[in-house]
Amino acid sequence: MIYFTSDTHFGDARVLRIDRRPFSNMVEHDAALIANWNSAVSPDDEIWHLGDFASKRGRFAEDLLSRLNGRKHLIIGNNDTAETIMAAGWQSAQHYAELMIDGQLLILCHYPFRTWNQMGKKSVNLHGHSHGRLKPMPRQFDVGVDVRSLRPVSLADILNSRA
């Protein structure tokens, strides 16, 4: 399976007040997101994190990645530090990617686009960054945890979310 997620903001207390996540502290927040991730994603699955993984410095991201299931890819977000981007545990790290899954072209970026490659040929833009605050557009989906029950989701779940 292939999963997508974004905007976990592990270790970043700002999300508790700005995004009103239902936790009293970051220990609870991070533990819940780790449990949700590992309940959805198996060690053999692939997962694309579309940015803002963690903003703490040092080995925080690397230690966290070792606790999370799956072969992990990072689409770099505006809050990802150099330590996060360079952490051991990522299969890849880049600002943008295009994937073909079951005949569906996916355009991946942390930021939502107004227009994207092959948009007129029914490609799909997956993004984060907006924390569910943007008006939906056809074939564009926010995969951030704030709009996805605080867990990674499959492409089928994403495409079925706006039938």
Side-chain angles (χ1 to χ4, degrees), residues 4-8 19 21 127-134 136 140-153 157-158 161-162:
F4 301 91
T5 194
S6 183
D7 298 291
T8 48
D19 297 312
R21 293 191 185 167
H127 68 88
H129 188 65
S130 62
H131 296 260
R133 293 185 183 106
L134 291 181
Q140 183 177 62
F141 299 91
D142 185 343
V143 299
V145 296
D146 295 298
V147 293
R148 302 291 170 179
S149 302
L150 301 172
R151 65 183 61 250
V153 290
D157 290 338
I158 294 164
S161 68
R162 237 191 278 150

Side-chain angles (χ1 to χ4, degrees), residues 1-3 37 40-47 69-73:
M1 282 291 287
I2 301 174
Y3 290 91
W37 179 307
V41 179
S42 79
D44 294 327
D45 290 333
E46 189 169 2
I47 180 160
N69 288 341
R71 294 184 317 273
K72 299 167 276 296
H73 301 271

Side-chain angles (χ1 to χ4, degrees), residues 32-110:
L33 267 63
I34 291 167
N36 289 350
W37 179 307
N38 287 338
S39 70
V41 179
S42 79
D44 294 327
D45 290 333
E46 189 169 2
I47 180 160
W48 287 83
H49 192 291
L50 274 55
D52 290 357
F53 176 73
S55 58
K56 275 186 147 178
R57 302 227 181 259
R59 294 183 48 98
F60 181 79
E62 195 165 303
D63 293 340
L64 189 55
L65 285 165
S66 71
R67 298 171 54 200
L68 295 168
N69 288 341
R71 294 184 317 273
K72 299 167 276 296
H73 301 271
L74 177 65
I75 299 294
I76 300 165
N78 58 301
N79 288 301
D80 291 316
T81 64
E83 291 92 344
T84 294
I85 295 164
M86 301 304 293
W90 297 117
Q91 297 288 309
S92 67
Q94 60 267 313
H95 289 277
Y96 175 93
E98 295 186 7
L99 299 178
M100 183 69 75
I101 300 176
D102 298 330
Q104 177 66 66
L105 178 61
L106 304 177
I107 309 302
L108 310 180
C109 189
H110 178 62

